[in-house]
Structure formats: structure tokens, C-alpha cells
Amino acid sequence: MAKMILSFLQTFSLLFIFLVPSLCCPQYQKEALLQFKLLLLESVPAHQNLTFLETWNSSSTDCCQWEEVGCNSNTPQQQVTDLHLSNIFHNSEEIVLSSHVLTPLFHVRTLETLDISSNNIQGEISGIGFANLTEIVELYMSNNMFDGSIPSELFSLTHLEILSLDRTFIGGTKSSKFLSLGNLTNLQELNLANNRISGAIPSSLCRLKELQTLDLHSNFFSMEIPAQIGNLSEISNMSLNDNELVGKIPPSMQKMRQLETLNLEDNQLSGEIPAWLFDFRNLTDLKLGGNKLVWKNSTIVPKSKLSALSLRSCSVSEHIPFFLSNFTDLSFLDLSGNNLLGTLPLWLNHTKYFELILSDNNLSGSPFHFFSLTYLQRLDLSGNNFSGKLPDNIGEATHMTTLLLSGNDFSGPIPKSISNMSLLSILDLSKNRLSSNEFPNFKAPRCDPLYAFAPCYPQKFNPLSVLLLGHNEFSGILPRNLTNLSELVCLDLHDNNFTGEIPAFLFQISSLQILNLRNNSFHGSIPNDLTDLKSLQILDLSDNNFSGEVPSSLGKLSGMINPNLDASLLYYYEVPTTVYQRGGQISSANYPNLEVSWKNKMQDLPSKNLNLYTFLDLSNNQLSGGIPDTLGCLRNLKVLNMSHNKLSGGIPTTLGDMNNLESLDLSHNNLSGKIPQTFGKLLQLTTLELSNNKLTGSIPSGPQMDRMNNPNSYANNSGLCGMQIQVPCDKAIPEPEESRSQETWFSWVMAGIGFPFGFLSTVLVFYVIGYFDVVPKRRQRRHVNCVCW
């Protein structure tokens, strides 16, 4: 018996020795991965830490043991089947990869899963390369920067079940490349969102009978939704929003009995909204807003259990539809931009909304009962006819993060109880008749274990980031308790009656990126300490009573010098911090735009792009002295307005260094001398106003300056010429006869006085500098200070 056991162990050992090599990945696949590593390292800085590649080395016999590599262990020789290479550089925007770095991976033909998303890969998608991956099942390529369109070879990968190409910059003027899309009969998820794809949605898409998720949002798809799209009988999530689709909602969609989410918002769809959309028993999320659709079904009995519904701008008229009270699970409701009338219905008191948007209607009365809704986190009632005082119970909404009440007729002070809304991140009370000289004290939030979705902040931390109080009747000086708002990004107080000087404590709010004090009664000088606001990108001090010189320190505003690569403005202004979260989804929202005088017109800067704007407006004050040379350091500034002041002297040549400047207004001052020739370098300039000054000489030429040919922009100066105003510079501008005779008499008198005075002055200067010294002095080197910091 012992001999038999010993014989078995010897045989097993021999088998193990022979089988070990076969359990390793093939040599050619190992070499392909090492070649990919080599190309990767050649493309990144030496300091870049790619820890997962440390296991990728030639001394390792089995690449199946490498990090982010998966193999099939069910075959005699392990084949590489999975590569998880997403976000290699941890969201670094400095590193950009060429698509050629992927070439070695195309030799690993046994791949079933390949994830290369979020790697800043540039270049065309290699159709020939991907055609080799005939076994691929899941392909993730999102969040890259590919060129061109989707190669047709991708649609020959018939084993594909998941194809994710969202946010990859792919485009194409036609959708003809999608004609073979119908070959992917096993496809279950297709994501092409946030790209530049145009043309019609291909009808071949309707052959994908296994498709469960279709996401084409934020492209340029046009024409009608395919009539046979209802053939996608297994579809559960479909997002076609933010395109250019027209026509009616296809009746065939009634066959999509598995539908859970349907988003058709922000297209050009028309016709009546069909009542059968509310018969899908599994439907939880329905968004139809921002089209030309019309709602006419006031009495329906819905079968679905919606948690999110958008009928924004769908011509819903009269009262808020009563059938909405049947949706007891509804947590998101958007009825903005309709024709709703009357007061708010009482059944709203018994809802569990997380987010309620009723803006831009004709609703009236008082919204007091909304502030007793326990779950409500975002309330938008802006652009209605609500009136009276703000409800005293406003502070009961202790879990609210966003409150938008602008454009109503509220009056009186802000209730002190609002300070209890300690989770509030965005507060917009602009365009009302509110009046007070006191600000409420906002408190730091406390942790509440009953609301896990609510953020929990350290003590003495207030999350308010956007405070909009413009177009009201507030008065007095700015209160010191503003410094409690240590996370404030935007402070907009324009068109009120605030007085006094800008207080120094305001500069303690180092997070400020937007400060709008336009059209108040502030006075005194512009403080040098403004430069403590390192992140400031938009500064509007126009239409006040500021006096004195423009501080040269404004050239140190670093937020206007360097492009803002930080997404903080987008974070606070576009993406809600915790609006509502249910079923793993967070709602998106459009927050209020910022009203400024942009290129001589009052415009709303879109909130989602505020990080792209830089703006400095000092117009309509009593500022005097010269324009500081240091303003030329603000090379990321897009708009500079210093019009309607008392500025004098010449225009600094350094303003020509502001290579991102789009609008410059220096009109209605006392500026003299010539327009700097450096203005010819302003290649982004589209608006120029220099009228009502004392400027002379030729108007500079340049690619953009030659287009600044509106004569009114140069009117009422002392003697300008140039092709822009059709005044040739080779012809002297005639002067009045009286002026010439006075100049002749003055010249002779001054010559008689000036000759002896000049001679004595010259001798004195020579003596001072040591011209008559026997031993010459060492020549001093001239130092020139840099203008920009």
C-alpha cells in the first residue's frame, strides 16, 4: 500500500512539472503587454507613478498574475481575457496618450473585456486593430479624446454585449457608418452619449432585440425617432435627450413593456403627449421637458409608479394636475415653464419630494407649507407671482440644500429662522422687494443619522456657496457675519442700496470666485486687498461712487491671469451637492445664471460654463488717474470695462498682452495720446469702445483690429485716423486758424525764455553727473523692474 501511495505521488509530481508551463499565459501575449507598458512609459513624465505596472515585468513567468490582468483558468493554457486599464493616471489632465499606444493590445486576440476609459487618449480609433478582437464581449472606451468617427469594424464584433463610447469626442456628419450596427445582435448596452454624432438614428438599431440600455444623449442626432424603435422589447433604459430630434413620439414604443427610464428632454419633438406613457408598470423615470410637446390629458389613471417626472415647457395649463397626487413615490417633479395658475394645492403637503421645480409659471399665494416638507432638498419657485413676506417657518426645511425664489414679489426682511437651514448650499432671493439692513447668521450643520444622504461638516463650517440677493431693496453696510460663509464661491448683491466702503473683512472669504456689487452706493477707494481673493474671476464694481486711482495691485488677481482648470464653479453651480439620491441616481439641475453687462449688453452668463468667464467691470464710477500698466498681466481676462470715469493719461501698451481679451471699453474718460500698436495682437477682440476721449494718431491694424470698424467706437476724440473710420492718416487734420496763430506767438516767446534757461540747466546737469571730474565715475547699470508678478 505504501508503495502504491509513493508511486502515485511521484506520478502526480511529474504531471505537475509538465503542466505548470501550460498554466501560464502565452508568451506572445506577455510580450504584447510588455510592449504596451514600454509605449506607456515613453508617453508619460518620469515622475508619474504607475504602481500597477510594477508587477508587469519580464522576470515574471505568468502575466496572469499581473495587476489589472485577468485570464481564463478553464483552458489548458491560460489566455488573457480581461484588461482593466481605466483611469491609469488618476484623472491627471497633463498627460495625453496617442491612440497608437493601444497597438500591442490588438495582438491579444482572446480578450473578452477591455476597459481603457478615462485615459485622455487622442487620435483615431483603429478599426483594423479592433477588428482583431473577435472574442470581445465588453468594451469600455469612455472619457477619452478620440478623433473622427466610429470605425465600421467595431460593428463586426458580434460577441459584443457592452459598448461604451460616451464622452470620447467622436463625431461624423452622417450616420451611414451605423448601417452595420444591426449586426451586434448580442448587444445589451450601447452608450454613445456626450459626443458629436449627427444625422438620423439608424433604423438598423431596431434589430438589436437584446438591447437593454440605449444612451445617445447630448449629440446632434436629428430627424425622427425610428418608427420601429418599439422592436427593442427588452429595453429598460433609453436616453435620447439633448439632441435635435423632431416629430412625434412613435406609437411603437408602447411595446417597450420593460421600460424603467425614458428621457426625451431638450429636443424638438412635437405633438400631444400620449397617455399610454403612464401605463408602463415598471416605469420610474419619465422626462419629456424642453420640447414642443403638449399635455392635454388632465384626467388619467396612471399605472406606473414614477419617482421622477419632468413636463417642463409642455403647455400644462391652469392648475397643477391632480393626477400627480397618485404618484406617492414621486421624489422629483419639474413643471417649470408652463402656464400654471392659482395657489398651490393642499395635496402637495403630503408628498415626499426631494426636488420640486415649479419655476416660470403664474402661481401665486404663499409657499409656506413647502418648508414643512421633511424630505425636500431643492425647491425652485422662481419666476412666479408669489407675494408677501417670506414665511417664518422657512427655517423648518433643515435638510434643504437649494432654495430658488427669485423673480417673485416677496417683500420685507429675510426671516431669521433661515439661519437654521444649515445644509443650504445655494440661495437665490434676487429680483424681489426684500429689504433689510441685517443679514441672518447661517449656522454650521449638525450630523443627523436619520439622513444618510445629507453631508456632515465639521463645526463652524457653513456650506453656503452661492448667495444671490440682487435686485432687491437691501440697504446699509455689508455685515461682518458674511465671513461665516467660508465656502462662499459667488456673492451677488447688485442693484440694491448698500453703502459705505468695501469692508476689509470681505477679503477673508478666500473661496470667492464671483463678486458682483454693481449699482449700489458704495464709495471710497478700491482696496488693494482685493488681490487676497486669489480665485476671483468675475468682479463687477460698476455703477457705484468709487473714487481715487485704480490700484495697480489688480494686476495680481491670479484668477484672471491663469485659466481656471478647477471645476469648482461647475461643482457648485451645475451639479447639485446632494439634491436627491434614490436608486443610485443623483438628479441634475440647472442653477440660476449670472447677470452681467457683457460686451455692452446685459446678459445672463450660463451657470454651467461660468468657469470659462473672466470679467472686470469698474465702469460708471469716479475713478481718476492713469490706467495701471499691470492690468496687462491679466492675460486670461475676457472683458475689461473702465468706461464713464475720469481716467487720464495714455493707454498702456501692456493691454496688448491680454491675448484672451474679447471686449475692451475705455470710452467716456480723459485718455490722451495714441492707441497702442500692440492692440494689433488682440486676436480675440470682438468689441472695442474708445469714444469720448482725447486720443490721437492712427488706429492700429491687425487681424481683429481691422474689423473694429464702427465709427461710433472712436467718435469724439482729438484726431484719430485709420481705415476703420475711413480717415486717411497721410492727410494732416486741419487745425483752426486762431489755434495756429496762438501757437506761433507762444513758440517765439518760449524760445526767448527757453534758450538761456536751457543753457544754464545743461551746465548744471553736467556738473552734477561729474562731467568735469578728473576721475570718471563707474557707469551704473540700469535696473528694469518686471511689470507682471
Side-chain angles (χ1 to χ4, degrees):
M1 183 69 180
K3 290 183 178 180
M4 291 178 60
I5 294 173
L6 180 62
S7 175
F8 173 78
L9 290 174
Q10 289 174 341
T11 304
F12 179 80
S13 299
L14 289 171
L15 286 172
F16 181 78
I17 292 172
F18 285 109
L19 286 175
V20 164
S22 65
L23 292 177
C24 299
C25 68
Q27 182 65 24
Y28 81 92
Q29 293 186 352
K30 175 181 175 181
E31 291 175 355
L33 295 182
L34 289 174
Q35 181 64 23
F36 170 73
K37 173 184 175 180
L38 179 63
L39 294 176
L40 197 63
L41 293 177
E42 289 176 350
S43 305
V44 301
H47 67 273
Q48 184 66 37
N49 187 15
L50 300 176
T51 54
F52 80 95
L53 287 179
E54 293 176 0
T55 61
W56 291 36
N57 58 77
S58 56
S59 62
S60 175
T61 57
D62 186 9
C63 64
C64 292
Q65 304 300 318
W66 295 354
E67 285 189 41
E68 312 303 341
V69 178
C71 295
N72 184 355
S73 58
N74 296 325
T75 57
Q77 188 176 37
Q78 294 194 74
Q79 306 277 356
V80 175
T81 56
D82 302 331
L83 287 176
H84 301 280
L85 305 174
S86 66
N87 199 14
I88 293 174
F89 310 114
H90 306 289
N91 298 317
S92 173
E93 297 183 358
E94 300 175 357
I95 301 173
V96 176
L97 291 179
S98 168
S99 58
H100 297 298
V101 77
L102 302 175
T103 302
L105 301 182
F106 299 137
H107 296 288
V108 188
R109 300 187 178 212
T110 55
L111 278 177
E112 297 177 7
T113 299
L114 176 61
D115 188 350
I116 55 173
S117 56
S118 302
N119 285 314
N120 288 343
I121 303 175
Q122 280 187 343
E124 292 187 356
I125 300 174
S126 174
I128 297 175
F130 277 101
N132 291 331
L133 306 181
T134 55
E135 302 299 318
I136 198 77
V137 176
E138 299 180 9
L139 182 54
Y140 304 93
M141 302 170 65
S142 60
N143 287 296
N144 284 293
M145 297 182 288
F146 294 115
D147 301 329
S149 55
I150 303 175
S152 57
E153 288 86 350
L154 279 184
F155 302 135
S156 65
L157 305 175
T158 55
H159 292 290
L160 265 181
E161 294 180 5
I162 297 176
L163 178 57
S164 180
L165 282 165
D166 60 300
R167 299 181 185 272
T168 53
F169 289 88
I170 54 175
T173 56
K174 297 180 180 179
S175 57
S176 56
K177 294 228 176 180
F178 292 136
L179 294 178
S180 54
L181 180 61
N183 295 334
L184 303 178
T185 53
N186 291 305
L187 200 64
Q188 298 177 19
E189 180 179 329
L190 176 62
N191 190 343
L192 303 177
N194 287 289
N195 285 298
R196 298 175 292 184
I197 307 171
S198 57
I201 297 176
S203 58
S204 60
L205 180 74
C206 303
R207 300 205 301 267
L208 307 181
K209 300 295 180 64
E210 302 297 321
L211 199 64
Q212 298 174 17
T213 298
L214 175 62
D215 193 346
L216 304 180
H217 85 264
S218 300
N219 277 285
F220 297 95
F221 286 110
S222 56
M223 305 179 70
E224 296 183 352
I225 300 174
Q228 300 305 315
I229 199 167
N231 291 343
L232 304 177
S233 56
E234 297 298 318
I235 199 86
S236 58
N237 302 288
M238 186 163 71
S239 298
L240 306 180
N241 52 297
D242 292 284
N243 280 286
E244 299 172 358
L245 299 170
V246 298
K248 298 182 178 181
I249 297 175
S252 69
M253 289 178 62
Q254 296 180 70
K255 296 187 293 183
M256 295 179 168
R257 309 313 300 177
Q258 306 301 320
L259 207 57
E260 296 177 8
T261 65
L262 175 61
N263 193 339
L264 303 177
E265 281 196 311
D266 296 308
N267 282 285
Q268 300 177 34
L269 300 173
S270 57
E272 187 175 339
I273 297 174
W276 48 258
L277 280 175
F278 295 89
D279 291 339
F280 295 120
R281 295 187 180 276
N282 296 320
L283 191 65
T284 59
D285 193 328
L286 176 61
K287 295 181 179 177
L288 305 174
N291 286 285
K292 299 176 182 178
L293 296 168
V294 178
W295 175 257
K296 292 184 179 179
N297 298 287
S298 56
T299 56
I300 64 170
V301 181
K303 299 177 182 177
S304 55
K305 296 182 179 181
L306 290 177
S307 61
L309 173 63
S310 171
L311 295 176
R312 170 170 52 91
S313 302
C314 288
S315 298
V316 183
S317 57
E318 298 183 357
H319 299 285
I320 296 177
F322 181 75
F323 82 91
L324 295 177
S325 62
N326 295 321
F327 294 119
T328 56
D329 293 327
L330 202 62
S331 56
F332 171 88
L333 177 62
D334 187 352
L335 296 177
S336 61
N338 284 292
N339 301 310
L340 297 174
L341 303 170
T343 57
L344 299 170
L346 293 178
W347 58 261
L348 282 174
N349 295 345
H350 308 290
T351 57
K352 297 181 180 180
Y353 293 137
F354 280 70
E355 190 166 358
L356 179 60
I357 307 173
L358 300 175
S359 58
D360 298 310
N361 282 286
N362 293 303
L363 297 169
S364 57
S366 174
F368 69 93
H369 53 270
F370 279 140
F371 300 106
S372 60
L373 298 179
T374 308
Y375 298 95
L376 194 60
Q377 292 191 38
R378 180 175 187 245
L379 176 63
D380 187 354
L381 301 178
S382 56
N384 279 284
N385 296 321
F386 294 109
S387 59
K389 293 183 178 182
L390 290 175
D392 289 332
N393 70 331
I394 195 170
E396 295 179 11
T398 55
H399 292 92
M400 191 172 293
T401 62
T402 303
L403 178 59
L404 311 177
L405 301 178
S406 66
N408 283 284
D409 196 30
F410 291 115
S411 58
I414 300 175
K416 292 183 178 180
S417 67
I418 201 171
S419 62
N420 296 326
M421 303 173 71
S422 55
L423 292 178
L424 202 60
S425 178
I426 297 178
L427 176 61
D428 185 2
L429 302 178
S430 61
K431 299 179 181 178
N432 282 285
R433 293 189 298 113
L434 298 171
S435 60
S436 177
N437 56 4
E438 294 183 8
F439 271 46
N441 278 309
F442 292 96
K443 301 177 181 178
R446 292 174 295 179
C447 298
D448 190 340
L450 295 178
Y451 293 89
F453 53 79
C456 186
Y457 299 100
Q459 193 175 4
K460 297 183 180 179
F461 181 100
N462 190 284
L464 192 64
S465 58
V466 176
L467 179 58
L468 309 178
L469 300 177
H471 276 293
N472 277 289
E473 298 173 4
F474 294 109
S475 60
I477 61 175
L478 294 182
R480 178 173 285 275
N481 60 26
L482 281 174
T483 57
N484 294 339
L485 307 177
S486 58
E487 298 300 306
L488 199 62
V489 172
C490 175
L491 177 61
D492 189 347
L493 305 176
H494 74 275
D495 287 276
N496 279 286
N497 298 313
F498 289 109
T499 59
E501 299 183 357
I502 299 180
F505 60 74
L506 195 63
F507 312 132
Q508 299 176 21
I509 311 176
S510 58
S511 56
L512 269 181
Q513 298 181 36
I514 299 172
L515 177 59
N516 190 351
L517 304 179
R518 182 181 76 246
N519 198 19
N520 279 281
S521 298
F522 291 107
H523 61 264
S525 59
I526 297 176
N528 282 303
D529 293 340
L530 263 173
T531 54
D532 290 344
L533 303 177
K534 303 294 184 183
S535 302
L536 201 62
Q537 289 183 224
I538 295 176
L539 175 61
D540 193 344
L541 303 180
S542 63
D543 293 284
N544 280 283
N545 295 312
F546 292 112
S547 58
E549 296 186 352
V550 178
S552 60
S553 60
L554 290 183
K556 295 182 181 180
L557 288 169
S558 53
M560 302 180 186
I561 297 175
N562 302 310
N564 181 14
L565 300 178
D566 185 7
S568 58
L569 272 177
L570 289 175
Y571 174 77
Y572 287 114
Y573 239 98
E574 181 189 20
V575 181
T577 49
T578 72
V579 176
Y580 81 88
Q581 187 169 359
R582 192 163 190 161
Q585 294 182 350
I586 298 179
S587 120
S588 62
N590 294 317
Y591 289 124
N593 297 331
L594 182 70
E595 184 187 53
V596 297
S597 177
W598 184 268
K599 300 182 181 181
N600 298 327
K601 294 180 181 178
M602 295 306 300
Q603 297 186 30
D604 284 344
L605 301 185
S607 58
K608 64 181 180 180
N609 293 324
L610 278 179
N611 66 317
L612 303 178
Y613 295 97
T614 46
F615 176 93
L616 176 59
D617 194 343
L618 307 178
S619 63
N620 288 288
N621 282 286
Q622 304 295 322
L623 299 172
S624 58
I627 299 175
D629 293 345
T630 54
L631 293 187
C633 299
L634 305 179
R635 294 194 173 100
N636 196 45
L637 194 66
K638 294 184 182 296
V639 171
L640 175 60
N641 190 346
M642 304 177 74
S643 64
H644 294 274
N645 279 288
K646 300 177 181 179
L647 301 174
S648 58
I651 300 175
T653 59
T654 55
L655 297 191
D657 297 330
M658 305 169 73
N659 52 351
N660 284 298
L661 198 64
E662 297 178 11
S663 177
L664 175 62
D665 192 347
L666 303 177
S667 63
H668 295 273
N669 280 289
N670 295 313
L671 300 172
S672 58
K674 295 184 177 181
I675 304 173
Q677 292 298 312
T678 54
F679 277 26
K681 299 188 299 180
L682 300 176
L683 302 182
Q684 305 298 322
L685 197 65
T686 58
T687 302
L688 178 64
E689 293 292 338
L690 299 174
S691 63
N692 294 280
N693 280 289
K694 298 176 182 178
L695 300 171
T696 60
S698 62
I699 300 172
S701 61
Q704 285 301 112
M705 280 299 300
D706 292 346
R707 299 180 181 182
M708 304 294 105
N709 54 8
N710 184 355
N712 294 329
S713 299
Y714 307 96
N716 298 322
N717 275 287
S718 299
L720 290 173
C721 61
M723 53 85 64
Q724 294 91 338
I725 56 175
Q726 298 181 352
V727 175
C729 290
D730 55 354
K731 294 182 179 179
I733 300 177
E735 299 181 67
E737 185 66 30
E738 179 183 355
S739 175
R740 287 201 300 271
S741 62
Q742 290 179 353
E743 181 180 347
T744 303
W745 173 84
F746 180 78
S747 299
W748 280 107
V749 172
M750 291 308 296
I753 297 173
F755 178 77
F757 181 78
F759 176 77
L760 293 173
S761 299
T762 303
V763 173
L764 180 61
V765 169
F766 280 178
Y767 178 80
V768 171
I769 67 175
Y771 181 79
F772 301 109
D773 291 354
V774 176
V775 180
K777 292 184 178 180
R778 180 177 297 175
R779 188 174 184 180
Q780 299 294 319
R781 179 178 296 178
R782 185 182 178 187
H783 292 275
V784 179
N785 294 324
C786 294
V787 174
C788 296
W789 295 268

